[in-house]
Amino acid sequence: MENPANSPIDYRLAFEHAPVGMVLSRQRVMVDCNAFLCEMFGTTREQLIGQSFAVLYPSVAEYERIGQRMIPILNTRGRYADNRMMRRLGELHGARAGETFWCHVTGRALNREAPHEAGIWTFEDLGARRAAKAELTPREREVAAQVMQGLTSKEIGKQLAISHRTVELHRARLMRKYAAATTAELVQKLMAG
């Protein structure tokens, strides 16, 4: 009787059934993805393959800004991770087109010198299928993502290349929009959607 532990692993099957959304990319264009990613974004594989990652972002400006921010990190470390708002595309599996949600994104460049040349990316829905409750500006979404990582206003300002006072203004607006009295409460409400 053959021992399953000694059987060869079917990596295609592992990719397809991974418990997170997975994408293979070239020049920030999706060349393959798994079923979990399609379910998360409410669309089909056929609708994603050949598309720019820009279709998954709330705005093209955010897509471009995050793409530029990740280049030096991918050049140095070869990997990148953050929490960000993403946008559902379709109406499949209970998702609503245009709905935004918090997502943890992790990626690895296959070539550090050309980080967008080819990569492997995972997506985890942090909102547990709940849409973001407050309407946020692109900058508020960026500040919120950094707040969720526990960064101070000065650290966020440095990350986003804005003053810490500007960060504090955005943080105050976020706290008002989410009716949060403390940063810990704000983070909890952001995670809940």
Side-chain angles (χ1 to χ4, degrees):
M1 184 180 269
E2 188 176 318
N3 181 349
N6 295 332
S7 300
I9 295 173
D10 181 346
Y11 289 99
R12 179 70 200 173
L13 191 63
F15 172 81
E16 196 54 45
H17 294 284
V20 295
M22 294 184 75
V23 176
L24 302 176
S25 68
R26 291 197 188 284
Q27 302 301 336
R28 298 187 81 195
V29 170
M30 295 174 268
V31 295
D32 201 0
C33 65
N34 69 357
F36 200 93
L37 184 96
C38 295
E39 183 178 326
M40 185 183 313
F41 285 94
T43 190
T44 64
R45 184 176 180 277
E46 294 74 28
Q47 290 174 318
L48 290 176
I49 301 305
Q51 294 289 322
S52 163
F53 278 115
V55 300
L56 305 179
Y57 284 76
S59 73
V60 173
E62 288 170 88
Y63 163 78
E64 290 172 357
R65 205 166 27 245
I66 290 172
Q68 287 303 310
R69 189 170 51 236
M70 70 174 66
I71 288 174
I73 297 167
L74 286 168
N75 281 344
T76 303
R77 299 183 196 150
R79 63 189 183 287
Y80 180 86
D82 69 13
N83 295 330
R84 65 179 78 146
M85 291 288 269
M86 300 299 284
R87 184 175 61 89
R88 300 196 204 281
L89 296 178
E91 305 284 335
L92 300 178
H93 310 290
R96 289 183 301 228
E99 177 180 88
T100 57
F101 66 102
W102 283 103
C103 192
H104 180 73
V105 179
T106 306
R108 179 171 294 277
L110 299 183
N111 176 2
R112 286 186 189 186
E113 285 75 42
H116 290 315
E117 180 179 82
I120 302 168
W121 296 90
T122 63
F123 295 79
E124 296 176 75
D125 184 345
L126 298 177
R129 300 210 152 278
R130 282 178 261 167
K133 291 176 186 153
E135 282 296 317
L136 304 178
T137 67
R139 186 60 86 182
E140 286 170 344
R141 287 191 285 266
E142 287 183 321
V143 169
Q146 301 299 320
V147 166
M148 288 170 63
Q149 292 189 28
L151 298 181
T152 66
S153 292
K154 285 186 180 181
E155 292 169 327
I156 294 169
K158 192 174 183 180
Q159 283 279 333
L160 301 179
I162 59 177
S163 78
H164 74 281
R165 292 180 197 269
T166 302
V167 172
E168 288 168 1
L169 289 171
H170 288 299
R171 186 189 295 253
R173 286 187 194 126
L174 287 166
M175 291 180 80
R176 264 194 319 277
K177 286 181 177 184
Y178 280 90
T182 66
T183 300
E185 186 180 358
L186 175 62
V187 169
Q188 182 181 21
K189 289 182 176 191
L190 287 168
M191 293 295 285

